[in-house]
Every structure is written in C-alpha cells, then in structure tokens.
Amino acid sequence: MATVTARFRYLARLTPRMVSGRILQEARKRWLLGRVWDRSGDVSSIVLQFDNPALVQFASVYALQGDRFDETCDAVSAGTFISNGQSYDFGAPNLARWGAILAEDPTQVRLEHDFAFFAFCIPLVRHDTESGLRTTSELVNTLDAGVTGPDSLRRFEWSPIALALRTMALATAISLVDERSRQRMAPEIRTISGHLIRCGNLLRPQVERYLGYNHAAFTEAGHLVDCLLRGLAKDAERAAKRLARVIWRSVLPDGTWAERSPTYHVHMLLLTQALISSQLLPSSEMDRTRRVERLMRDALRVLVHPDGEVAILNDAGIGDAVSPRLVGWSHDMLAAPVLATAGYARVEAGSLSAIFDAGPMGPRSVIGHGHADFLSTEVCVGSTRLIVDPGVLSISRGPLREQTRSAASHNGPYVDGEEPAEFFGAWRVGWSAAAEFEDVLSDSKGEVQAITGHRSGRTRPWVASARRTIRREDQGVLRITDEWSVSRAATSRFLIPIEWKLTSQQGHELVFVHRNGSTAIITVTRGQISVIERARFTRGGPAAVEDAHLVAFAPTDSVLDFQISASPKTGRGSQNNAITR
C-alpha cells in the first residue's frame, strides 16, 4: 500500500489547473450527464453533415486507425470481435455487452477498449457498405439501450476518451460512404447519427483539457469532429486551434511526444496528420503544426525498430496504434539518432541495432505511462528482436501493474530491493529518480559511436546511481558497460524471447540461435552470468504474453561489461518475428 508521503508527493506534482479541472469534471458527471442524455432522446430534428469537406479530409487520414482491424472486422457481423489475436464472442450485434470482456478476464483491457472505440467499423463499412452500416447501427443501438440512468454513463464506454474515439471512428466510417449509399441506408444512418449526437452532447462538457497530453488531444479532436458534423464552422475552427496548441505543448523540442510512450507518439502523430489534412488552421498555425509533424515523423527513426514496430518501452505495445509505416516511418530515414530531450537514442553496429532509454519517466504532472526503465535497452539482430523490454503486463491496479512498471522488471542497472520510483494505483507516481545522457560520441556521418546515460536519485542521494554506456565496435559488435555507485547486490537482467534457443553456454559466453537461423553471441568480459531462467514479456499488451529467457549478470567491483555479436538470417526469414495480425 502506498505510504501517505508517496501520495502527498504525487499530489504535489499536480498543477492547480489539473486539480480544479478534476473537481469540475466530477461535478459535471454528477449533475449534468443524466440530464444531457435525457435531452438527447429526440434527435430527429438534427441532421449531421457527413459530407462536410473538412470532415472528409480529416477522415481520409484518420481512416488508417481502422487498418489494424482490416482482416478481422467482418467477424463482428457474425458476433465475434477480434483485436490483436484476442477475441470476444457476443453472439450477435443485439447481444453485445460492453464491460463483459473485463468481467470475464481482467487482462483483456485492450480488447475491451478497442470494442468501445469502434475503429473496427471503418474497415467493416469499407468492405461491405450495407452490411457494415447495418451491423454498426445494431451495435450502437445496443450500446444506447444499455444506458439505464446516470450511473450507466460512468462506465468506461462512456468515458470522455471513449466518446471521443468512437465519435471519430463512426464519423470517419460514414463520411467516406458515398451519398447514394447513405440515402439507401437512411434508417441505419439515422440510428448512428442519434448515437453520435448523444456522444457529442456528453463529450462537450467533458473535454479533458485540464489533463493535457493525450487525453486533451483525443477529446479535443473528438469535439472537433462533433462540431464538423453539426456544421458549427466557428466552433470547429476554435477546436482545431485548441487541438493544435495541445500538440505544440505536448511535443518536446526533439519531436518526441512528451509522455515518452512510443505507442502514444504514433497515436498523436496520426491525429496531427488528420488535423493538418482538415485544412482548418490559419496559415501561421498550420505552418507551425506542419513543422511539429515533421519533427514527430523524424523521431520515429529512434522509436521504431527495424521490424517496423515500436519499442515496447513506457506502456507501449505493438498493434495498439497504427503501424509506424503508415505515419511516415521507413528503413532509410535520415533523421538524427539521438532524441536528447526525451532521452532516447539509436545505436547501430553492423546487423545490430539498439534503442537506449535514458530520459525522465514523463512530464512531471502526468507520469501515468512512465516505467522505471531508466537506462533500459532493446536490441535487434537485423529485424529480429533479441533483447526486449517486458512490455505492459497489466494496466489495472494491482501487484502485476506495479511489477510491470518496476525497475526490477526492466534491464537497466539495478540494485536488488531498491526501486527508483514510488508507484501506486494504476497510474500514480510519488517520488522518482531521473536519467539523462552524459556523453555522446558521434562519427563523421552523425551516427552514434558511443553514448552514456546516467541515472541518479535526484533528491535522494542515498539511492544508488548508475551509468550505462553503449558502444559500437569494429566487426559489427555492440558493447554494453554498466557501472554502479555501490557494490551491494547489483544486477542487470535481460529478457530474450524464447524463439531464441540457448544452444551453448561455455564460461562467460552464451550462444543463441533464432528459429529463423540468426545467431547472437553474448560474451561477458567483466562480471559473471548469475541466472538463466524462464520469464514472461509481452510485445502486444496484457493478453499477449510470451515466454522469454531471463539472463541476469552480476558485476565485478561494481562494473559489468559484455559484448554482443551476431549474424542475421538473410532473406524473408529475418522478418518473421513481427506480430501477425
């Protein structure tokens, strides 16, 4: 249980605007939402403008949000929802129940969220307009029928972020349907329109501007789309400007989304591109937004591995956002390899590449997605992941959530029993340590040759500090050196996916062979191999847990040094470790 002082330190992080905004939000939920819903019962007099040019342009980009359901969405009409390899069988659209997924299995948070966000309806309507609109209409009718009073509106599917994402998804799906089809499916369009109007009425007093960052961006974007649907041009322009300012404030000078989660970086980049496409901003604000968008795209070079998917650091998961390729990532990006403000760097040595995390946990007032992964590293051999972060084993309050955020679960230099942050609840942080880059040595092309990150206890000098240096050496060798300020019980623990088979252990050398034929050799030159055992990690979130080797190294005289060499499998086989959707 969190101590009183940890809770006090958490509260001290909050800005006055966040505190007052939270209070007002609760007041609105208690006194307004039920009345708003009641007044939304008769929506026949409101005609939504799905052919609004700005909306159509916004939707033409935002439609990418549905691409990850492209191969599985058709099953929804038959009563099965599939997301990231997990499924929910609800029998038929009129039998769907939101909240039932988590009631049966608390690990299926992403499945529950995706079902509430309705991005699957975009490809569903695109594949077969009549069938897709009919199924979508039945689903929103069922969702509406589940509201029996104000208390129903406190469930997740009616939260501000769910309202916003559902509004954007449904509006996108219908705006891309031709006028003749909309006329032919008029009853279904009326049902979906009624739901959209109710969502907009509920969202308008709940836009989460006080929270900032992704919550402010998502809900402001949902409000923007609602204004476009209703033909409120001036309101839409104001919402577009507010959304642009949220994005400007939330992107660091190096182009990284400030919450430091690669997944949320991709989400926000897509939203920025949709805003630009809408052409709603004045020229000066459009120019600034375009510059920010370019910086965000350039940052993908550091945040994305050669397999084309994000690093799974800081609450990131593969498949939670659109593919980075769809928002601008490519193998031949020429952007800088160090994001100095965010504290991410990319180091390449022949077929090996590493993403190095040496930054803060996140914005001081909002660290909900931060993990104690100070100085953690992910390594690839070609496009095959060799060393991985544990990923997100839980986003629900409890021991597993605390474990997934802890330093003990990550591969940065660690002192047994000493956590560099106070975690409690699902999203709360009291005190936390900090990390930053100290030294960067680059070659004549600007690529990283050696880089050192430092973690300190900040206001707690008795907390052990540590350094990690990653060097690119000759013959495609990657060298990692960890140093501790203390000699007590120090370790560095690395996860290697089980698809890498440990074929040889001789003295200080480990040889791993991947099922695609790639080989990796880890040689400890200072320190010792202390543990090799089975562990778990997840690339795709709590419901997609995989086995891994846990390899722990102990330092000698507070220093650990090891090198990695590899020979990748050439050809198509080297691509097979990406998650199949």
Side-chain angles (χ1 to χ4, degrees):
M1 180 177 292
T3 65
V4 173
T5 53
R7 293 178 183 274
F8 176 79
R9 282 187 283 268
Y10 160 72
L11 292 173
R13 293 178 179 273
L14 305 181
T15 65
R17 182 183 183 187
M18 293 179 68
V19 174
S20 61
R22 176 69 180 185
I23 293 170
L24 287 173
Q25 192 85 311
E26 283 302 312
R28 291 187 182 108
K29 284 186 177 181
R30 289 177 181 273
W31 302 105
L32 297 177
L33 296 190
R35 294 174 175 83
V36 168
W37 183 268
D38 291 341
R39 287 199 304 271
S40 299
D42 182 11
V43 296
S44 58
S45 62
I46 302 175
V47 178
L48 298 185
Q49 300 179 14
F50 292 104
D51 56 355
N52 183 309
L55 174 61
V56 173
Q57 289 301 312
F58 182 99
S60 68
V61 173
Y62 192 78
L64 294 172
Q65 191 69 259
D67 279 20
R68 58 199 179 97
F69 302 103
D70 196 59
E71 297 179 3
T72 60
C73 64
D74 294 337
V76 173
S77 298
T80 301
F81 174 61
I82 303 170
S83 174
N84 203 38
Q86 308 301 312
S87 63
Y88 165 46
D89 295 317
F90 51 90
N94 65 328
L95 299 176
R97 294 294 179 267
W98 285 263
I101 298 173
L102 287 182
E104 295 176 6
D105 185 353
T107 69
Q108 300 277 17
V109 176
R110 181 190 289 181
L111 190 67
E112 179 73 53
H113 288 186
D114 284 342
F115 195 46
F117 296 159
F118 271 63
F120 59 85
C121 74
I122 300 172
L124 185 67
V125 172
R126 183 172 62 228
H127 289 181
D128 186 327
T129 300
E130 292 190 11
S131 175
L133 287 173
R134 191 174 299 113
T135 298
T136 302
S137 170
E138 291 174 354
L139 285 170
V140 299
N141 190 53
T142 303
L143 182 55
D144 286 349
V147 177
T148 56
D151 287 346
S152 302
L153 300 174
R154 302 185 71 88
R155 297 197 299 257
F156 175 77
E157 61 269 24
W158 298 106
S159 65
I161 201 163
L163 291 167
L165 287 164
R166 192 158 64 247
T167 294
M168 289 189 284
L170 290 169
T172 293
I174 300 178
S175 69
L176 299 179
V177 172
D178 63 87
E179 177 61 26
R180 181 175 297 179
S181 295
R182 287 204 296 269
Q183 291 177 356
R184 190 166 59 249
M185 302 296 292
E188 288 77 13
I189 296 296
R190 279 196 298 273
T191 298
I192 299 169
S193 294
H195 179 77
L196 281 167
I197 292 166
R198 295 182 184 98
C199 286
N201 289 347
L202 292 168
L203 178 60
R204 195 175 306 116
Q206 296 192 90
V207 175
E208 295 179 314
R209 300 182 183 109
Y210 72 96
L211 273 176
Y213 305 103
N214 82 83
H215 278 260
F218 276 133
T219 54
E220 196 70 76
H223 176 53
L224 164 61
V225 168
D226 177 61
C227 292
L228 291 173
L229 283 169
R230 297 173 191 246
L232 303 174
K234 293 296 183 182
D235 289 349
E237 290 174 6
R238 283 191 287 268
K241 291 177 182 178
R242 285 194 298 264
L243 175 55
R245 292 182 187 117
V246 170
I247 293 167
W248 301 344
R249 289 193 297 264
S250 303
V251 174
L252 300 174
D254 58 23
T256 313
W257 186 257
E259 290 170 286
R260 298 188 72 253
S261 168
T263 287
Y264 280 92
H265 183 92
V266 173
H267 275 306
M268 294 300 108
L269 179 52
L270 178 64
L271 212 56
T272 304
Q273 292 170 347
L275 173 62
I276 291 171
S277 182
S278 73
Q279 296 292 314
L280 286 167
L281 296 173
S283 59
S284 61
E285 298 185 17
M286 178 67 84
D287 289 344
R288 182 173 178 180
T289 305
R290 289 185 187 278
R291 290 195 297 272
V292 169
E293 187 273 340
R294 180 55 189 263
L295 286 172
M296 294 177 76
R297 263 191 295 133
D298 286 347
L300 293 175
R301 192 207 169 187
V302 180
L303 301 175
V304 177
H305 283 295
D307 62 3
E309 297 290 358
V310 294
I312 52 175
L313 299 159
N314 288 302
D315 267 4
I318 295 175
D320 188 35
V322 303
S323 168
R325 291 182 176 88
L326 297 177
V327 291
W329 176 87
S330 67
H331 281 283
D332 55 356
M333 296 185 76
L334 299 176
V338 178
L339 302 173
T341 314
Y344 283 117
R346 181 180 188 82
V347 185
E348 297 179 345
S351 63
L352 291 165
S353 61
I355 295 178
F356 185 22
D357 180 353
M361 290 180 65
R364 184 182 185 279
S365 59
V366 182
I367 316 183
H369 294 291
H371 291 201
D373 53 4
F374 302 110
L375 310 186
S376 287
T377 309
E378 289 198 320
V379 177
C380 285
V381 178
S383 60
T384 303
R385 300 196 182 201
L386 172 66
I387 293 176
V388 294
D389 188 80
V392 186
L393 294 170
S394 173
I395 61 171
S396 301
R397 179 177 181 174
L400 191 56
R401 177 61 175 169
E402 293 184 14
Q403 175 192 332
T404 203
R405 302 176 80 191
S406 69
S409 294
H410 295 84
N411 67 45
Y414 177 66
V415 175
D416 288 355
E418 186 174 278
E419 281 294 327
E422 295 172 322
F423 295 112
F424 61 97
W427 313 104
R428 307 289 187 251
V429 180
W431 166 83
S432 69
E436 61 184 353
F437 291 127
E438 282 189 331
D439 300 303
V440 181
L441 177 63
S442 301
D443 62 18
S444 59
K445 297 180 180 179
E447 297 300 313
V448 175
Q449 192 165 334
I451 187 165
T452 299
H454 174 241
R455 187 204 72 214
S456 69
R458 294 197 307 138
T459 58
R460 297 187 176 187
W462 61 89
V463 173
S465 62
R467 285 178 172 80
R468 170 167 289 174
T469 300
I470 302 180
R471 297 180 182 85
R472 182 190 75 201
E473 301 202 333
D474 295 337
Q475 287 80 48
V477 172
L478 206 60
R479 180 178 293 276
I480 298 177
T481 304
D482 290 346
E483 302 172 85
W484 288 259
S485 64
V486 298
S487 58
R488 63 180 185 271
T491 58
S492 292
R493 306 166 178 175
F494 296 88
L495 292 171
I496 298 175
I498 203 68
E499 60 216 36
W500 287 90
K501 182 179 180 181
L502 178 60
T503 60
S504 174
Q505 179 183 358
Q506 297 184 358
H508 290 76
E509 183 178 274
L510 302 173
V511 179
F512 290 91
V513 177
H514 193 270
R515 62 190 180 201
N516 67 17
S518 299
T519 301
I521 301 173
I522 300 176
T523 305
V524 180
T525 55
R526 183 168 180 176
Q528 60 185 349
I529 303 166
S530 59
V531 173
I532 302 177
E533 60 187 24
R534 189 65 63 90
R536 301 185 304 166
F537 84 106
T538 174
R539 301 175 227 229
V545 177
E546 305 175 51
D547 287 333
H549 307 280
L550 170 64
V551 180
F553 300 121
T556 298
D557 297 328
S558 301
V559 178
L560 168 69
D561 186 86
F562 67 95
Q563 63 183 34
I564 306 171
S565 58
S567 57
K569 170 72 173 180
T570 58
R572 295 175 61 187
S574 63
Q575 306 290 332
N576 72 351
N577 78 309
I579 287 182
T580 301
R581 295 185 184 78

